[in-house]
């Protein structure tokens, strides 16, 4: 590209960013959107880095570099960012519910509006993978391979079920102290691991564990987490508790599931992933002011706004992008870093190169299916440019939300 072309591209980007900035109300708390975008992109990159589809003859099976290279465990600490998403979700939902209640909007109308944003994009995912699974089976693809692909493609849906349940319970969770769901997780793990209780009891933690950051978001709405001291307490206590649980209580160090390990911190959630999430939430709270300053830059804010416009599409289709790339690559044979065992530094370096290909595949999915998230209507006003003011004590009910 010539210098003139580069300058024209930069000017076009600046003009587009300027239009997005001009459409954003000045009182909007852009740090909320930045945290949501970071949380979702963290999950996407984490899955792309620690999920491998290994070609074994005619079959594909899942593998993880953490299984062969445990020294990569800190990668799971960087990219397991679900707690931050639930923190932001609880904050936004409790503010939204308070605003709707003050405007006389009934609970059922508010809930229907919130859940429709979550589940409309799901229809496209389920339809495509139902057709794909049937087509693969009819073409003679091994059942194990089809099961692996469908399981990976639909794995993000568990998050929606949990998030929808917490959203429906928002009026009850608005003033719930986060220590209550934390206590539930603590006692469930004590019974499971300390007293030899049934393993199925761990599934109680699916709701209780993610209710902890969700109710922290409600506390943020109430203005109880505005002081930096709250962020430091969460960060310090959460990190210390997680280190103690890993070092002395036998919890896995990885904050994601690793094939072959007897216990997963995520499936179902354990006390360790909850305390780790508390540390993440503390760090997120401490970064709010820096993020607000960073989001004053037009290009940075435009990038965050664009991610938020399609956050569910990105989340739901990122595994499909990974698998589409893997399946297409098989036409050229077993490609290093894509179909080979994740058991060395060479694989890591090559996987980093494949990330750009995954991103292109995800962009194609975004172009094809983003209309489902936006409701299919043209000219519909984006929720990302609606007012969303920084929270303060007593201000929650007056804000409008994403």
């Amino acid at each position: 590209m010539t210098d003139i072309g580069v300058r024209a591209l930069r000017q076009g980007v600046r003009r587009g960013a300027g239009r997005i900035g001009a459409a954003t109300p000045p009182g909007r708390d852009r740090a909320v959107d930045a945290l949501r975008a970071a949380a979702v992109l963290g999950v996407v990159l984490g899955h792309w880095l620690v999920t491998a589809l290994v070609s074994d003859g005619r079959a594909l099976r899942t593998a993880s570099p953490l299984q062969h290279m445990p020294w990569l465990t800190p990668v799971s600490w960087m990219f397991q960012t679900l707690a931050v998403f639930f923190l932001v979700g609880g904050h936004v939902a409790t503010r939204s519910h308070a605003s709707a209640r003050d405007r006389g909007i009934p609970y059922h109308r508010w809930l229907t509006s919130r859940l429709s944003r979550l589940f409309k994009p799901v229809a496209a995912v389920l339809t495509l993978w139902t057709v794909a699974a049937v087509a693969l089976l009819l073409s003679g693809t091994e059942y194990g391979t089809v099961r692996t692909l469908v399981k990976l493609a639909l794995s993000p849906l568990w998050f929606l079920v949990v998030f929808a349940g917490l959203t429906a319970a928002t009026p009850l969770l608005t003033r719930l102290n986060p220590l209550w769901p934390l206590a539930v997780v603590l006692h469930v793990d004590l019974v499971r691991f300390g007293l030899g209780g049934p393993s199925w009891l761990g599934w109680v933690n699916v709701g209780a564990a993610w209710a902890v950051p969700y109710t922290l978001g409600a506390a943020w709405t109430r203005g109880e987490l505005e002081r930096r001291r709250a962020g430091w307490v969460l960060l310090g206590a959460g990190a210390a508790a997680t280190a103690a649980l890993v070092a002395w209580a036998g919890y896995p160090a990885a904050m994601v599931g690793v094939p072959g390990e007897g216990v997963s911190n995520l499936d179902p959630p354990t006390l360790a992933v909850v305390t780790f999430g508390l540390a993440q939430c503390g760090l997120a709270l401490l970064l709010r002011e820096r993020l607000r300053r960073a989001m004053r830059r037009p290009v940075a804010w435009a990038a965050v706004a664009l991610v938020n416009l399609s956050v569910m599409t990105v989340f739901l289709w990122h595994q499909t992008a990974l698998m589409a790339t893997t399946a297409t690559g098989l036409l050229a044979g077993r490609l290093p870093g894509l179909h080979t065992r994740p058991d060395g530094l060479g694989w890591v370096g090559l996987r980093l190169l494949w990330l750009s290909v995954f991103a292109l595949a995800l962009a194609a999915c975004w172009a094809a299916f983003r209309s489902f998230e936006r409701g299919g209507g043209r000219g519909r006003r984006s929720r990302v440019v609606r007012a969303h003011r920084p929270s303060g004590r007593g201000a929650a009910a007056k804000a409008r939300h994403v």
Side-chain angles (χ1 to χ4, degrees):
M1 184 178 291
T2 65
D3 291 341
I4 295 177
V6 171
R7 285 196 296 269
L9 178 61
R10 289 176 177 174
Q11 291 174 357
V13 169
R14 292 194 186 101
R15 284 196 296 270
R19 287 195 294 269
I20 292 175
T24 305
R28 183 181 184 83
D29 189 354
R30 300 183 181 189
V32 173
D33 301 285
L35 287 172
R36 183 193 288 114
V40 170
L41 293 180
V43 171
V44 170
L45 288 174
H47 281 160
W48 286 353
L49 287 171
V50 304
T51 302
L53 285 168
V54 178
S55 175
D56 185 10
R58 296 180 61 241
L60 288 174
R61 58 181 177 83
T62 56
S64 171
L66 302 181
Q67 184 179 8
H68 303 283
M69 296 173 284
W71 51 269
L72 286 176
T73 294
V75 171
S76 71
W77 306 342
M78 296 171 59
F79 296 110
Q80 207 291 73
T81 49
L82 282 173
V84 177
F85 194 97
F86 280 94
L87 170 76
V88 173
H91 174 55
V92 172
T94 49
R95 293 182 65 170
S96 174
H97 178 256
S99 175
R101 183 182 57 204
D102 285 358
R103 287 181 285 130
I105 298 176
Y107 165 75
H108 71 274
R109 281 181 53 197
W110 171 83
L111 182 63
T112 300
S113 174
R114 302 295 296 185
L115 295 187
S116 66
R117 302 178 198 175
L118 291 178
F119 288 111
K120 281 183 178 179
V122 173
V125 177
L126 291 177
T127 300
L128 183 141
W129 275 102
T130 298
V131 174
V134 172
L136 287 170
L137 290 172
L138 291 177
S139 67
T141 305
E142 291 191 2
Y143 173 77
T145 295
V146 177
R147 181 178 180 275
T148 296
L149 296 177
V150 172
K151 183 178 179 181
L152 281 176
L154 301 186
S155 59
L157 297 185
W158 74 262
F159 146 86
L160 285 182
V161 175
V162 177
F163 196 81
L166 293 174
T167 301
T170 294
L172 301 176
L173 300 176
T174 297
R175 294 199 168 274
L176 182 69
N177 191 306
L179 290 176
W180 287 108
L182 179 61
V184 172
V185 177
L186 171 63
H187 284 84
V188 166
D189 274 18
L190 180 62
V191 172
R192 287 176 64 204
F193 302 131
L195 303 178
S199 59
W200 58 261
L201 191 62
W203 295 105
V204 174
N205 284 349
V206 173
W210 301 117
V212 175
Y214 195 90
T215 51
L216 276 175
W220 178 1
T221 298
R222 297 195 298 269
E224 297 173 6
L225 303 179
E226 289 304 301
R227 294 184 178 180
R228 290 183 63 81
R229 180 175 178 271
W232 283 115
V233 168
L234 286 170
L235 175 59
T242 304
L245 289 170
V246 171
W248 295 308
Y251 284 84
M255 292 299 145
V256 296
V258 179
E261 284 198 351
V263 176
S264 167
N265 274 322
L266 198 57
D267 189 23
T270 65
L271 181 62
V273 85
V274 174
T275 57
F276 178 77
L278 291 176
Q280 281 188 322
C281 291
L283 180 61
L285 294 171
L286 290 171
L287 291 175
R288 284 176 298 181
E289 285 304 320
R290 289 190 179 185
L291 289 172
R292 286 164 186 155
R293 290 195 296 270
M295 291 301 104
R296 293 171 188 164
R297 300 171 183 170
V299 175
W301 167 240
V304 166
L306 290 174
V307 171
N308 276 271
L309 279 170
S310 303
V311 68
M312 289 308 302
T313 302
V314 170
F315 183 82
L316 288 172
W317 289 98
H318 73 277
Q319 292 285 57
T320 299
L322 167 67
M323 288 179 285
T325 303
T326 303
T328 304
L330 279 174
L331 299 176
R334 294 178 75 251
L335 300 177
L338 192 62
H339 308 113
T340 53
R341 285 183 58 185
D343 56 2
L345 280 175
W347 184 93
V348 175
L350 291 168
R351 176 49 64 106
L352 292 174
L353 296 177
W354 280 108
L355 292 182
S356 60
V357 183
F358 298 157
L360 289 174
L362 180 57
C365 292
W366 171 82
F369 300 107
R370 59 177 175 160
S371 62
F372 288 88
E373 183 167 2
R374 300 186 182 184
R378 292 186 177 181
R380 184 171 176 171
R381 187 185 178 191
S382 167
R383 295 185 180 94
V384 178
V385 297
R386 294 168 68 179
H388 187 137
R389 301 181 185 281
S391 63
R393 195 176 298 273
K398 299 179 182 179
R400 298 177 69 192
H401 318 281
V402 176

